[in-house]
Amino acid sequence: MITHKVMFLPHNREISAPDGGSLIEAAMEAGVHVNASCGGEGQCGKCRVIIESGKVEEGISEQLSKEDLENNYRLACLSRIKSDLIVRVPVESEVDASILNKFSATRRTARVQQLNLEDLKERGLFIPPVEKRYLDLPEPSARDNLADTSRLISFLKLNYDEHRLVVSLPVIRKLPEIFRKANFKVTATLARPVVDSGRTQIINIQPGDTTARNFAIAIDIGTTTIYGQLINLITGDILAEYGDFNGQISYGEDIITRIMFAEKPGGLNQLHEVVTQTINKIIDRIIKESGVNRDEVSTITLAGNTTMTQILLKIDPRYIRRSPYVPASTLYPLIRSVDLGIDLADHTTALVYPNISSFVGGDIIAGVMGSGIYLSDLLTLYIDIGTNAEIVIGNKEWLACAACSAGPAFEGGGIQFGMRAEQGAIEYFSIDPYTLEPMNITIGNVRPKGICGSGLFNIVANLFELGIVNSRGKFSHDLKSNRIRETDGVYEYVLAWKNETQIDRDIVLTEIDIVNLIRAKGAIYSGCQTLLDEVGLSISNLDRIILSGGFGSHIDIDKAMTIGLLPEIDPEKITYIGNGSLMGARICCLTNQIRKDVVKAMRKMTNFELSETPSYMSHYVAALFLPHTDLNLFPKLKARLMPDF
Amino acid sequence: MITHKVMFLPHNREISAPDGGSLIEAAMEAGVHVNASCGGEGQCGKCRVIIESGKVEEGISEQLSKEDLENNYRLACLSRIKSDLIVRVPVESEVDASILNKFSATRRTARVQQLNLEDLKERGLFIPPVEKRYLDLPEPSARDNLADTSRLISFLKLNYDEHRLVVSLPVIRKLPEIFRKANFKVTATLARPVVDSGRTQIINIQPGDTTARNFAIAIDIGTTTIYGQLINLITGDILAEYGDFNGQISYGEDIITRIMFAEKPGGLNQLHEVVTQTINKIIDRIIKESGVNRDEVSTITLAGNTTMTQILLKIDPRYIRRSPYVPASTLYPLIRSVDLGIDLADHTTALVYPNISSFVGGDIIAGVMGSGIYLSDLLTLYIDIGTNAEIVIGNKEWLACAACSAGPAFEGGGIQFGMRAEQGAIEYFSIDPYTLEPMNITIGNVRPKGICGSGLFNIVANLFELGIVNSRGKFSHDLKSNRIRETDGVYEYVLAWKNETQIDRDIVLTEIDIVNLIRAKGAIYSGCQTLLDEVGLSISNLDRIILSGGFGSHIDIDKAMTIGLLPEIDPEKITYIGNGSLMGARICCLTNQIRKDVVKAMRKMTNFELSETPSYMSHYVAALFLPHTDLNLFPKLKARLMPDF
């Protein structure tokens, strides 16, 4: 990737930015504020900058006069970086540097942790749960007329040291014809047992040598979205990946409404049909894209929360939402994918990730397995942030988990202009401490439509650090700006004026929105504290934090600490694994060891029902502040806010 | 049972006969010849006897004059024994006693060996493969919100010492609702593994305590007939039993024609449908008859020959009839009965008996298991007599088996007037050594329609012992009787004249018939000899013989030895187990030990392909005589035929 150096004046901040990148995003990255409320489409014309040296492309708009252009004014939101640059921000030039220091230095996101295939290979663990063996069998004769299955089994014993083999009935049905048509040169597909004491199943037999082609599918079934990957089991590579909305969203946005729908007559079957339709659509797409034949897929692993899992398996989920919140099962047997209505070959096995409880599901277990927490010495906090945030704390010795009902704020629910992280959502934000003018950056650099979860963090953290919002989430009433106003008795901040938006309304953030965010982040933070309490540890003992979830990669770690969502630890210790559930599903396709380990890991894991844990409520109440009642828990923030203490 | 003593004069033979029994059958039992060619319907009027004392009912016919009746003449075939009797046989009164001695003394059939349920119970082996456990589970609470399956499993562990449990998906689906509707008082059905290292499956869950009702079905799938038994797994008793013709007989009488049909497009599916229809019809009948609900049947065991088994399992049987005669499999996995199209509940497991080779099938293995050969010290010869006779020799240390293609003679095939053992078949026979007049007794005591297998033995053995037929099966040409005649160059014996039959034709036995019988019995005898040879033993080493098969109970042991079908051993050492396949299927429902032992027994068993065993052909050629080239193999018969040697 070609990068260029961009120096911002008068701040004297230099950063490295990609060739063709947006200049306003580079400013955000550098912690330099440029007014911009229209989100990056050149609508508001406020993000004027002077290109003192170097070359940008575009950046020109009707908002700039001929004279402006001659003086090298450009709109930052429209400018693409094409060389090293020196950029002067005119309005800011007046700003006192000491005030600028109030901003956290840079936008810092978590390091992305990916599945380490090479490491898996080096440790000899790249042994997929479904393997192929080419067999050049001796042909039967009058003196050697072993049954076809016996011939198969004894050859595998002798030549591949395979033992405890079972041949399924569908394979027995195929053997006689395939053996003879292929002159007894065949490929057997072996499915490994999930437990050590189990038996290896011969699930398929194919004519000739097909060992070079063996594939798996990993599926993450989210309440909102479903992702699938097609994996080459010979190389371990992902050949295709595709995500789509879970067809069930038409039946309710959250888990509770889905369960309520499932309780209606025929409802469970309908939801089951709909989710398998989405899965089948994803499968169609990824097998087509990768040029794999449907019957070359030997196994599929699926991970989802407990409700999604029970619906997929056609298990009535009604008791998940009723006290004492009992799931039907934790472990599920290895089954055939066709038994779930999944459109793969008859022989394809399906493994559904186990769950711990009604609210700590297979998606989290998958994340724990995929991220390798259960193998690590490091005391790790794993957080999957979403409507239902799940937390796991532990290491290779022990694991504890809990689910926090964070509410839908992170996904835009309960936020007046909240929306999912889609095009037009304000994702990055900064504010001019004097003029209180915003710099909005939207996904796709288009005019704003609303605020997504990570935008919400940024906005609230910025407003809080500048004292515009106090620790209870209330706006300061002393500030003189038309951006802060009272509507129907509720204070709000105007992020973008009606004519700058796609929705023809002012986009605002209200005090109610902020309270909802505080409740959500408070639920998660106090969940972590409670879990640590229960195991006799505190936040200072944490060696690292792993973040997972759909929007985790956008989280500005510093901002998340500022609002008190994440505990304040060295940002270097925070990693992001993206879709942990999908990662876990994938690793389960790559190494059978995971399938065995998962049972052991689950046995080590203690589930805490936070509602039944007495200390939770007091932790929660104390966390209903920005960042927390006890500012000492956030020493760096405290130092910034109160440099004299 | 009330019995009476019947004394026959002038022979001075007394036997015990059942009240109401047929007098002519008593005569047969006593080895007393009474002329009777019409088979027992009073048609020929030849079986006149004088009732010297005692009371008979019926016995009167138009064939007897008023004077005859006054002199106490009766027709033996129509007379029912109602008291102790003294009966004089008028024609025979002239016969020399020394000639009478040529007859074997009595009609001797094998002792019937039944499944010994008490013994099974005493040895602690009455542990059905599917058991029920009543569970009064603790109700979940906020502090104990284990998943439903975990609650089930841990309760079974703690209270019943059950380990290594697996819960199937259909049961997981049922748990939540049933647990709560039944207030957590439920009955679990556990299916035991077939191998020691396997896991116990929880296959069903029912509300309340249903442990008192647990049933199994045993099925024998014969090529011609199918039998089913409904078994109470609490007591071990048979509650109902029913047999019917295998619906496949419309598609060919024997295995080869069935296989040929299966090779046609759609043929296999059609034969599969038809056999499951017959099985379902039998199941309908026995569950209705015993007042059992369909879903109270927890398991079904099925035993059949290799072809019947493969068709049931929808496995193409074409290679069974093609050299080198390789079956698809020997062992079959435990499956669900619904997967075979069997109309039982979803949870009902189905075990299909394994087979050894294309020609030694699950029916024989079932017989070996049911009769307990594999546990015995006694060197046992097990013979299942039928079109395809199967032989097993061995004891608890080793087992050897082979299949002989005996041909259809025993079932009436290739015999001009051959027929199955149905009403009107001549079953018993004796002949007057002077007049050469026959005494035919038919099944059902009706006019004859033909000759069944056991009748054939009796006829040929009698003709041979009296020298009417020589050791090559040829009629003596010197005898003066209209019963022996030549038709189209072939000699034959007239068993019944046209007007005495139901078929309006003379019923005869031809030299060709006798040759076919000799080939059939020769195949079996030489098979036994060959197997013994291969293991370095001889017939004199045999401790016992177990006979199995549809018509085994009718076999007159002495006659079977006379023609050289069975080796000559002490008749006390011969037992008959009836339908060995059905017995094996039943015992498999009663004790899971059998399911485990069967694999061990199969491993001990060596299969010999007789066509590939060099000594077979010479044994076979030597056995193509009555009883055998080497009369020294039959010393008792030799003593009767040649009393001076």
Side-chain angles (χ1 to χ4, degrees):
Chain A
M1 193 174 70
I2 302 167
T3 59
H4 305 292
K5 285 180 188 158
V6 183
M7 165 65 85
F8 289 96
L9 299 177
H11 320 71
N12 262 321
R13 296 240 179 91
E14 187 178 275
I15 61 140
S16 184
D19 183 67
S22 154
L23 188 54
I24 202 167
E25 289 188 17
M28 168 69 71
E29 196 73 26
V32 168
H33 180 80
V34 181
N35 287 341
S37 52
C38 77
E41 220 187 16
Q43 188 69 15
C44 67
K46 289 176 190 161
C47 56
R48 292 153 61 100
V49 293
I50 304 159
I51 309 300
E52 297 208 338
S53 89
K55 184 186 169 201
V56 298
E57 280 180 357
E58 306 175 31
I60 297 164
S61 135
E62 288 172 1
Q63 310 270 2
L64 295 174
S65 66
K66 203 182 161 194
E67 196 183 351
D68 286 340
L69 293 176
E70 279 166 9
N71 290 325
N72 285 324
Y73 275 89
R74 294 291 183 276
L75 292 187
C77 70
L78 298 178
S79 300
R80 307 279 137 203
I81 302 160
K82 295 307 289 178
S83 72
D84 290 354
L85 296 177
I86 297 172
V87 179
R88 181 167 297 273
V89 184
V91 181
E92 306 299 328
S93 58
E94 307 300 324
V95 175
D96 185 331
S98 70
I99 287 174
L100 277 178
N101 283 335
K102 281 199 157 187
F103 290 85
S104 52
T106 57
R107 196 178 93 78
R108 197 148 40 186
T109 57
R111 275 182 303 116
V112 173
Q113 177 189 340
Q114 284 178 324
L115 193 155
N116 193 336
L117 184 61
E118 290 316 309
D119 176 58
L120 209 61
K121 288 178 178 173
E122 270 164 31
R123 287 190 291 146
L125 291 177
F126 179 42
I127 303 168
V130 179
E131 294 183 282
K132 286 186 168 187
R133 298 279 180 262
Y134 173 62
L135 316 171
D136 185 352
L137 298 165
E139 295 200 18
S141 65
R143 276 278 154 203
D144 166 21
N145 63 356
L146 275 182
D148 289 342
T149 53
S150 310
R151 182 169 309 276
L152 181 65
I153 287 173
S154 57
F155 192 87
L156 279 162
K157 270 188 190 166
L158 274 169
N159 295 276
Y160 289 101
D161 201 28
E162 293 285 353
H163 296 278
R164 300 175 52 68
L165 296 164
V166 189
V167 189
S168 70
L169 186 54
V171 173
I172 299 178
R173 287 181 181 143
K174 289 166 93 172
L175 285 186
E177 195 66 10
I178 289 183
F179 272 12
R180 285 158 189 87
K181 283 209 168 151
N183 293 318
F184 292 85
K185 295 176 202 334
V186 297
T187 300
T189 307
L190 311 183
R192 302 299 176 192
V194 179
V195 290
D196 277 325
S197 60
R199 305 170 80 189
T200 293
Q201 282 206 35
I202 301 175
I203 56 166
N204 198 22
I205 199 85
Q206 296 168 298
D209 184 353
T210 69
T211 51
R213 293 185 69 79
N214 194 20
F215 303 93
I217 287 176
I219 299 275
D220 157 52
I221 309 171
T223 309
T224 306
T225 47
I226 300 184
Y227 288 92
Q229 290 177 334
L230 197 136
I231 298 153
N232 184 338
L233 293 182
I234 309 303
T235 61
D237 297 332
I238 299 166
L239 299 185
E241 181 164 350
Y242 187 61
D244 202 343
F245 285 109
N246 184 336
Q248 291 178 350
I249 51 179
S250 326
Y251 300 84
E253 288 224 337
D254 58 21
I255 282 173
I256 298 302
T257 51
R258 301 277 171 87
I259 295 177
M260 285 165 66
F261 189 87
E263 291 178 26
K264 294 181 187 172
L268 174 58
N269 278 344
Q270 202 168 334
L271 290 183
H272 167 83
E273 290 296 321
V274 162
V275 74
T276 53
Q277 275 166 20
T278 304
I279 294 171
N280 285 335
K281 192 174 147 194
I282 292 171
I283 292 174
D284 282 353
R285 171 95 174 217
I286 57 182
I287 63 174
K288 210 161 285 172
E289 195 174 316
S290 51
V292 164
N293 286 323
R294 203 172 283 275
D295 69 355
E296 292 178 319
V297 176
S298 300
T299 189
I300 182 169
T301 300
L302 304 110
N305 63 50
T306 307
T307 300
M308 287 302 108
T309 301
Q310 289 200 190
I311 291 172
L312 173 73
L313 294 169
K314 260 196 235 180
I315 302 170
D316 186 354
R318 74 179 63 217
Y319 302 105
I320 288 178
R321 74 178 188 99
R322 287 178 169 78
S323 172
Y325 314 109
V326 175
S329 191
T330 49
L331 290 161
Y332 304 103
L334 190 67
I335 52 182
R336 298 189 313 155
S337 58
V338 288
D339 292 338
L340 296 177
I342 291 175
D343 195 12
L344 289 170
D346 277 1
H347 68 265
T348 309
T349 60
L351 190 87
V352 176
Y353 252 106
N355 43 253
I356 287 287
S357 69
S358 278
F359 301 114
V360 180
D363 47 351
I364 302 310
I365 304 299
V368 167
M369 303 312 290
S371 63
I373 305 174
Y374 76 105
L375 291 174
S376 172
D377 288 314
L378 301 175
L379 180 64
T380 306
L381 170 63
Y382 178 97
I383 313 178
D384 186 276
I385 299 173
T387 304
N388 293 288
E390 291 90 6
I391 309 165
V392 180
I393 293 179
N395 56 27
K396 69 178 181 188
E397 303 296 335
W398 58 272
L399 293 160
C401 65
C404 320
S405 185
F410 298 142
E411 280 155 12
I415 307 297
Q416 195 175 340
F417 288 89
M419 63 179 287
R420 292 206 191 95
E422 292 164 16
Q423 241 195 19
I426 297 172
E427 190 181 27
Y428 304 134
F429 170 85
S430 82
I431 185 166
D432 182 311
Y434 291 107
T435 64
L436 305 190
E437 284 299 302
M439 172 169 75
N440 296 319
I441 298 183
T442 60
I443 298 177
N445 292 324
V446 296
R447 279 188 281 161
K449 279 169 30 183
I451 312 161
C452 69
S454 54
L456 193 62
F457 293 175
N458 280 324
I459 297 164
V460 175
N462 276 299
L463 296 176
F464 173 63
E465 279 212 49
L466 286 174
I468 298 164
V469 155
N470 69 15
S471 70
R472 308 209 64 134
K474 300 296 176 193
F475 280 98
S476 164
H477 297 183
D478 310 331
L479 297 167
K480 298 223 158 43
S481 162
N482 61 348
R483 295 252 171 203
I484 296 173
R485 69 188 185 191
E486 191 182 354
T487 302
D488 299 335
V490 176
Y491 273 81
E492 61 191 21
Y493 174 82
V494 182
L495 288 153
W497 303 108
K498 165 177 176 172
N499 65 327
E500 298 162 356
T501 71
Q502 291 188 48
I503 59 175
D504 207 26
R505 278 184 296 156
D506 293 349
I507 293 176
V508 301
L509 180 80
T510 73
E511 283 182 349
I512 296 172
D513 295 341
I514 298 173
V515 165
N516 283 336
L517 174 67
I518 290 175
R519 287 191 183 144
K521 72 93 193 170
I524 294 176
Y525 187 87
S526 55
C528 299
Q529 274 194 314
T530 307
L531 261 195
L532 283 164
D533 256 21
E534 290 293 315
V535 296
L537 295 170
S538 72
I539 284 164
S540 62
N541 297 110
L542 289 176
D543 293 317
R544 61 171 176 167
I545 296 176
I546 296 177
L547 300 177
S548 152
F551 84 141
S553 69
H554 304 289
I555 288 185
D556 182 324
I557 291 173
D558 295 300
K559 298 291 186 282
M561 291 182 189
T562 299
I563 63 166
L565 167 66
L566 296 182
E568 201 177 72
I569 72 169
D570 176 0
E572 288 302 308
K573 292 182 174 171
I574 301 180
T575 54
Y576 172 64
I577 60 162
N579 186 334
S581 174
L582 188 59
M583 181 190 269
R586 180 177 164 221
I587 201 170
C588 197
C589 294
L590 296 177
T591 169
N592 194 48
Q593 195 56 44
I594 289 288
R595 299 192 179 199
K596 294 180 180 174
D597 285 352
V598 72
V599 178
K600 292 175 203 158
M602 282 182 68
R603 290 216 180 98
K604 279 183 207 154
M605 197 175 297
T606 313
N607 179 51
F608 288 88
E609 288 295 331
L610 293 179
S611 58
E612 297 298 320
T613 310
S615 64
Y616 179 64
M617 195 41 72
S618 54
H619 279 305
Y620 177 61
V621 171
L624 291 178
F625 293 85
L626 292 172
H628 195 273
T629 310
D630 182 3
L631 198 53
N632 293 321
L633 290 168
F634 295 80
K636 286 184 202 160
L637 177 63
K638 186 180 176 187
R640 288 205 301 278
L641 295 177
M642 299 186 276
D644 301 337
F645 287 84
Chain B
M1 194 174 69
I2 302 168
T3 58
H4 305 292
K5 285 179 187 161
V6 183
M7 165 65 85
F8 289 96
L9 298 177
H11 319 72
N12 261 321
R13 295 240 180 91
E14 187 178 274
I15 62 137
S16 183
D19 182 65
S22 154
L23 187 54
I24 202 167
E25 289 188 16
M28 169 68 71
E29 197 72 27
V32 167
H33 180 79
V34 182
N35 287 340
S37 52
C38 77
E41 219 187 18
Q43 188 70 14
C44 67
K46 288 177 189 160
C47 56
R48 292 152 61 100
V49 292
I50 304 159
I51 309 300
E52 295 208 339
S53 90
K55 187 185 165 198
V56 297
E57 280 181 358
E58 307 175 28
I60 296 164
S61 136
E62 287 173 1
Q63 311 269 2
L64 295 174
S65 66
K66 201 182 164 193
E67 194 183 352
D68 286 339
L69 292 176
E70 278 165 9
N71 289 325
N72 287 321
Y73 273 90
R74 295 289 183 279
L75 292 187
C77 69
L78 298 178
S79 300
R80 306 280 138 204
I81 300 160
K82 296 306 290 179
S83 73
D84 289 355
L85 297 176
I86 296 172
V87 178
R88 182 168 296 273
V89 185
V91 181
E92 307 298 330
S93 57
E94 307 302 324
V95 173
D96 184 331
S98 71
I99 287 173
L100 278 177
N101 283 335
K102 280 200 156 185
F103 290 86
S104 52
T106 56
R107 195 178 95 79
R108 198 148 40 184
T109 57
R111 275 182 302 116
V112 173
Q113 178 189 338
Q114 285 178 324
L115 193 155
N116 193 337
L117 184 62
E118 290 316 309
D119 177 58
L120 209 60
K121 288 178 178 173
E122 272 164 30
R123 287 190 292 146
L125 291 178
F126 179 42
I127 303 169
V130 179
E131 293 184 283
K132 285 186 168 186
R133 297 279 181 262
Y134 173 62
L135 316 171
D136 186 352
L137 298 165
E139 295 199 19
S141 66
R143 278 277 154 203
D144 165 22
N145 62 356
L146 275 183
D148 291 340
T149 52
S150 310
R151 182 168 309 276
L152 180 67
I153 287 173
S154 56
F155 192 87
L156 279 163
K157 270 188 190 166
L158 273 169
N159 295 275
Y160 289 101
D161 200 30
E162 292 286 353
H163 296 278
R164 300 174 52 69
L165 296 164
V166 188
V167 190
S168 71
L169 186 55
V171 172
I172 298 178
R173 288 181 180 144
K174 288 166 94 171
L175 284 185
E177 196 66 12
I178 288 182
F179 271 13
R180 286 157 189 88
K181 284 212 167 148
N183 293 317
F184 292 85
K185 295 175 202 334
V186 296
T187 300
T189 308
L190 311 183
R192 303 299 177 191
V194 180
V195 289
D196 278 325
S197 60
R199 305 173 79 189
T200 293
Q201 282 207 35
I202 301 175
I203 56 166
N204 199 21
I205 200 85
Q206 296 168 299
D209 184 353
T210 69
T211 50
R213 293 184 69 79
N214 194 20
F215 303 92
I217 288 176
I219 299 276
D220 157 51
I221 309 172
T223 309
T224 306
T225 49
I226 300 183
Y227 288 93
Q229 290 178 333
L230 197 136
I231 298 154
N232 184 338
L233 293 182
I234 310 303
T235 61
D237 297 332
I238 299 166
L239 299 184
E241 181 165 349
Y242 186 61
D244 201 343
F245 284 109
N246 184 337
Q248 291 178 349
I249 50 177
S250 325
Y251 301 82
E253 288 224 336
D254 58 22
I255 281 174
I256 298 301
T257 51
R258 301 276 172 86
I259 296 177
M260 285 165 66
F261 189 87
E263 291 178 26
K264 294 180 188 173
L268 175 58
N269 278 344
Q270 201 168 335
L271 290 183
H272 167 82
E273 290 297 322
V274 162
V275 74
T276 54
Q277 275 166 19
T278 304
I279 293 170
N280 285 335
K281 192 174 148 193
I282 291 171
I283 291 174
D284 282 352
R285 171 94 177 219
I286 57 181
I287 64 172
K288 210 161 283 172
E289 195 174 315
S290 51
V292 164
N293 286 322
R294 203 172 284 274
D295 68 355
E296 293 178 319
V297 177
S298 299
T299 189
I300 183 169
T301 300
L302 304 109
N305 62 49
T306 307
T307 301
M308 289 301 108
T309 300
Q310 289 201 189
I311 292 173
L312 173 73
L313 294 169
K314 260 196 232 179
I315 304 169
D316 186 353
R318 74 179 64 216
Y319 303 104
I320 289 179
R321 76 177 185 99
R322 287 177 169 78
S323 172
Y325 314 109
V326 175
S329 192
T330 50
L331 289 161
Y332 304 103
L334 190 65
I335 51 182
R336 299 189 312 155
S337 58
V338 287
D339 292 337
L340 297 177
I342 291 175
D343 195 11
L344 288 169
D346 276 1
H347 67 265
T348 308
T349 60
L351 190 87
V352 176
Y353 252 106
N355 42 253
I356 287 286
S357 69
S358 278
F359 301 113
V360 180
D363 48 350
I364 302 311
I365 304 299
V368 167
M369 301 313 289
S371 64
I373 304 174
Y374 75 105
L375 293 173
S376 172
D377 288 315
L378 301 176
L379 180 64
T380 305
L381 168 63
Y382 178 97
I383 312 178
D384 187 275
I385 299 173
T387 304
N388 294 287
E390 291 90 7
I391 308 165
V392 179
I393 294 178
N395 56 26
K396 68 179 182 186
E397 304 296 336
W398 59 272
L399 293 159
C401 65
C404 321
S405 186
F410 298 142
E411 280 154 11
I415 307 296
Q416 194 175 341
F417 288 89
M419 63 179 287
R420 291 205 191 99
E422 291 164 19
Q423 243 197 15
I426 297 171
E427 189 180 27
Y428 305 134
F429 170 85
S430 83
I431 186 166
D432 183 309
Y434 291 107
T435 65
L436 306 189
E437 284 299 303
M439 173 169 75
N440 296 319
I441 298 183
T442 61
I443 297 176
N445 291 325
V446 296
R447 279 187 282 159
K449 279 170 27 184
I451 312 161
C452 71
S454 53
L456 192 63
F457 293 175
N458 280 324
I459 297 165
V460 175
N462 275 298
L463 296 175
F464 172 63
E465 279 214 47
L466 285 173
I468 298 164
V469 155
N470 69 16
S471 68
R472 307 208 67 134
K474 299 295 177 194
F475 282 98
S476 163
H477 297 183
D478 308 333
L479 296 167
K480 299 225 156 41
S481 162
N482 60 349
R483 296 250 170 206
I484 296 172
R485 68 188 187 192
E486 191 182 354
T487 301
D488 297 335
V490 177
Y491 273 80
E492 62 191 21
Y493 175 83
V494 183
L495 288 153
W497 302 108
K498 167 177 174 170
N499 64 326
E500 299 162 357
T501 72
Q502 291 187 49
I503 58 174
D504 207 26
R505 278 185 295 155
D506 293 349
I507 294 176
V508 301
L509 180 81
T510 72
E511 282 182 349
I512 296 172
D513 297 339
I514 298 173
V515 166
N516 283 335
L517 174 67
I518 289 175
R519 286 190 184 145
K521 73 89 193 172
I524 294 177
Y525 186 89
S526 55
C528 300
Q529 273 193 314
T530 307
L531 262 195
L532 284 164
D533 254 22
E534 291 293 315
V535 296
L537 295 169
S538 71
I539 282 164
S540 61
N541 297 110
L542 290 176
D543 292 317
R544 59 171 177 167
I545 296 177
I546 296 176
L547 300 177
S548 153
F551 84 141
S553 68
H554 304 288
I555 289 185
D556 183 325
I557 292 174
D558 295 299
K559 299 291 185 282
M561 292 182 188
T562 299
I563 63 166
L565 167 65
L566 296 182
E568 201 177 73
I569 74 170
D570 176 359
E572 287 303 307
K573 293 180 174 172
I574 301 181
T575 56
Y576 172 63
I577 61 162
N579 186 333
S581 174
L582 188 60
M583 182 190 267
R586 180 176 165 222
I587 201 169
C588 197
C589 293
L590 296 176
T591 172
N592 194 49
Q593 195 55 46
I594 288 288
R595 298 191 179 201
K596 294 180 180 174
D597 286 352
V598 72
V599 178
K600 293 176 203 158
M602 282 182 68
R603 288 214 181 100
K604 280 183 207 156
M605 197 174 299
T606 313
N607 179 52
F608 288 89
E609 289 293 333
L610 294 180
S611 58
E612 296 299 318
T613 310
S615 64
Y616 179 64
M617 195 41 72
S618 54
H619 280 305
Y620 177 61
V621 171
L624 291 178
F625 292 85
L626 292 172
H628 196 272
T629 309
D630 182 2
L631 198 54
N632 293 321
L633 290 168
F634 295 81
K636 287 183 202 161
L637 177 64
K638 185 180 178 187
R640 288 205 301 280
L641 295 176
M642 299 186 275
D644 303 336
F645 285 86

